[in-house]
Amino acid sequence: MPVRSREATVRVKGQTRPVKERLLHVATRLFARHGFEGTSVQDIVDAAGVTKGAMYHYYDSKDDLLYEVYHQLLTMQISHLEEIAAGAGSPEQRLRAAAADVVKTSLDNLDDMIVFFRSLHLLPEDKQAQVRSERRYYHDRFRALVDEGVAAGTFRGDVPPDIVVHYFLSVVNQLGSWFHPDGSLSATQVGQLFTDLLIGGLRA
Amino acid sequence: MPVRSREATVRVKGQTRPVKERLLHVATRLFARHGFEGTSVQDIVDAAGVTKGAMYHYYDSKDDLLYEVYHQLLTMQISHLEEIAAGAGSPEQRLRAAAADVVKTSLDNLDDMIVFFRSLHLLPEDKQAQVRSERRYYHDRFRALVDEGVAAGTFRGDVPPDIVVHYFLSVVNQLGSWFHPDGSLSATQVGQLFTDLLIGGLRA
DNA sequence: ACGTTTACACCGACCGGACGGTATGCGGAC
DNA sequence: GTCCGCATACCGTCCGGTCGGTGTAAACGT
């Protein structure tokens, strides 16, 4: 489905983003504020300055909109992780980079994270399976970095790497429930601190 | 609200628990499986073998039922933590005990945890504030243990204790999203491993 | 150059049904 | 007889999704 040239970019309150993109953006925001079920399709289209016809023209359903939230973020984070994992440096250096990155990108997309950990179960089973598959891929790729460090003797070998990954990704998935962008710590700082705590716990 | 003596304990599929208790139990289970909004009041009363009249006799609303889930678990965990914190042992020993306990009790009440981190935002604002207040109390009490360890020089002082607590409680809150009771690790083992990872990260 | 057709982007009234909650009734224990 | 512990029937609302329609810009024919 290529981007259509005739796509309208109606001006609403100074915004010029195409309708499809704007719908996803305001939907994410509303889902994060009021929950998926607490947000009606009417709320979404009102906030985007269009009508239901527009939304059902671009998306198959309300669920479809939710799925896009997950898919976009996961796709980005996976590509980041692959680049880091394939890069140079010791296992510890690459794990540090990966950990700091996933915290940073999650905090940069806080609304997505909030929706993520709250509303996955509301997706129809097939789309839910798709998301879980992508998450599992991320998990496995992350674990491979831990495996490397264990093999190299840098990390302790008495904690199953799967458990380590669950441990750290849990921290990431909960970021939306306490972090405030205007707090005393920046996204990068939090990433650094959490990375330190992880690596410290992993040291042989 | 004292327990009524004339409370009926209708036998349904061999269960003999009083209706009020049974309603909360099946509701928790259904909320965990299908989400709060994906579970209708009709589903709950059907599963409990009663009718709506019974449920609205014991609870004010569907929300009320949800609140009870949070309140029960938090009350128990708070009392555990207070006992541990006031007990004997070094800060590290008590923090270890507290960390292992919160993991264990959370895994023993997995359904509650699943509902917990998914559906808090669906409560009306006043009850939500009540829950947050209880959680904050738990958070502060937990942090006090970290503070003690930092003051004693056992733990590193370059990571804000609040961040440490967010870090570890995030892990706890996400347990419901990956742990399976029939997996290769028991609740106690997971508690032990996570505690090790935490303490390792905290060492001065 | 100009009328005509096509196709897309979006509108907005409408529908079917599910769901939370209520009002009333009734049977059995004391 | 009266009061508690439910059962049963019902209501009003809200919400996801649909469907025929409309304006407009590109494509085409001549």
Side-chain angles (χ1 to χ4, degrees), chain B:
Chain B
M1 50 195 95
V3 175
R4 287 332 193 113
S5 57
R6 214 135 67 67
E7 207 160 348
T9 56
V10 180
R11 251 161 248 276
V12 172
K13 296 179 185 173
Q15 298 214 23
T16 60
R17 275 206 269 189
V19 171
K20 181 175 182 177
E21 196 180 324
R22 210 167 64 224
L23 277 167
L24 183 57
H25 185 250
V26 301
T28 303
R29 190 182 165 80
L30 289 173
F31 290 163
R33 303 278 174 277
H34 314 296
F36 179 73
E37 346 67 27
T39 305
S40 70
V41 172
Q42 196 61 49
D43 291 338
I44 298 172
V45 297
D46 285 351
V50 292
T51 63
K52 280 193 185 183
M55 133 111 205
Y56 280 97
H57 177 71
Y58 289 111
Y59 298 94
D60 291 341
S61 64
K62 196 186 170 192
D63 292 330
D64 195 24
L65 214 37
L66 180 58
Y67 173 75
E68 281 302 316
V69 177
Y70 293 86
H71 186 64
Q72 276 199 191
L73 183 61
L74 270 171
T75 300
M76 183 187 74
Q77 292 186 329
I78 286 175
S79 83
H80 279 218
L81 179 56
E82 289 188 325
E83 190 172 343
I84 291 171
S90 68
E92 177 176 329
Q93 284 173 326
R94 278 175 289 142
L95 182 60
R96 275 187 181 277
D101 178 81
V102 70
V103 172
K104 175 81 162 66
T105 58
S106 296
L107 289 178
D108 287 346
N109 299 273
L110 251 197
D111 281 346
D112 301 66
M113 290 308 291
I114 291 170
V115 176
F116 208 110
F117 85 97
R118 262 187 197 163
S119 306
L120 178 60
H121 66 288
L122 297 173
L123 279 178
E125 190 51 47
D126 55 335
K127 288 180 181 170
Q128 217 175 123
Q130 176 66 25
V131 172
R132 270 201 291 262
S133 157
E134 297 181 32
R135 288 187 68 172
R136 186 185 169 81
Y137 180 79
Y138 190 91
H139 177 107
D140 290 344
R141 216 83 181 67
F142 204 92
R143 191 196 52 199
L145 285 175
V146 178
D147 288 336
E148 279 192 57
V150 171
T154 319
F155 300 151
R156 57 197 291 182
D158 61 340
V159 180
D162 265 331
I163 291 292
V164 174
V165 179
H166 280 307
Y167 178 79
F168 191 72
L169 294 186
S170 292
V171 174
V172 173
N173 288 333
Q174 281 284 316
L175 285 170
S177 71
W178 64 270
F179 183 81
H180 291 283
D182 51 341
S184 60
L185 292 172
S186 72
T188 308
Q189 285 175 313
V190 173
Q192 190 59 49
L193 291 168
F194 279 2
T195 302
D196 280 353
L197 288 173
L198 172 66
I199 299 293
L202 270 178
R203 277 264 160 63

Side-chain angles (χ1 to χ4, degrees), chain A residues 4 6 8 19 50-51 53-54 57-58:
Chain A
R4 288 333 196 112
R6 214 133 69 67
V19 171
V50 294
T51 62
H57 177 70
Y58 289 111

Side-chain angles (χ1 to χ4, degrees), chain A residues 11 110 176:
Chain A
R11 250 161 249 272
L110 251 198

Side-chain angles (χ1 to χ4, degrees), chain A residues 59-195:
Chain A
Y59 298 94
D60 291 341
S61 62
K62 197 187 169 192
D63 292 331
D64 195 24
L65 214 37
L66 180 58
Y67 174 75
E68 282 301 316
V69 176
Y70 293 85
H71 185 63
Q72 275 199 193
L73 183 61
L74 270 170
T75 301
M76 183 187 73
Q77 292 186 328
I78 285 175
S79 85
H80 279 217
L81 179 57
E82 289 188 326
E83 189 172 342
I84 291 170
S90 68
E92 178 177 329
Q93 285 173 326
R94 278 176 288 142
L95 183 60
R96 275 187 182 277
D101 178 81
V102 71
V103 172
K104 176 81 162 66
T105 59
S106 295
L107 288 179
D108 287 346
N109 298 274
L110 251 198
D111 282 344
D112 300 65
M113 290 307 292
I114 291 170
V115 177
F116 207 110
F117 85 96
R118 263 188 198 163
S119 306
L120 179 59
H121 66 287
L122 296 173
L123 278 178
E125 191 51 47
D126 56 335
K127 287 180 181 168
Q128 217 174 123
Q130 176 66 25
V131 172
R132 272 200 291 262
S133 155
E134 296 181 33
R135 288 187 70 172
R136 186 184 170 79
Y137 180 80
Y138 190 90
H139 176 108
D140 290 344
R141 216 84 180 66
F142 204 93
R143 192 196 52 198
L145 285 175
V146 178
D147 287 336
E148 278 191 60
V150 172
T154 319
F155 299 151
R156 58 197 290 181
D158 62 340
V159 180
D162 265 331
I163 291 292
V164 174
V165 178
H166 280 307
Y167 178 79
F168 191 73
L169 293 187
S170 291
V171 175
V172 173
N173 287 332
Q174 281 282 316
L175 285 170
S177 71
W178 64 271
F179 183 81
H180 291 283
D182 50 343
S184 60
L185 292 172
S186 72
T188 307
Q189 284 176 313
V190 172
Q192 189 60 48
L193 291 168
F194 280 1
T195 302

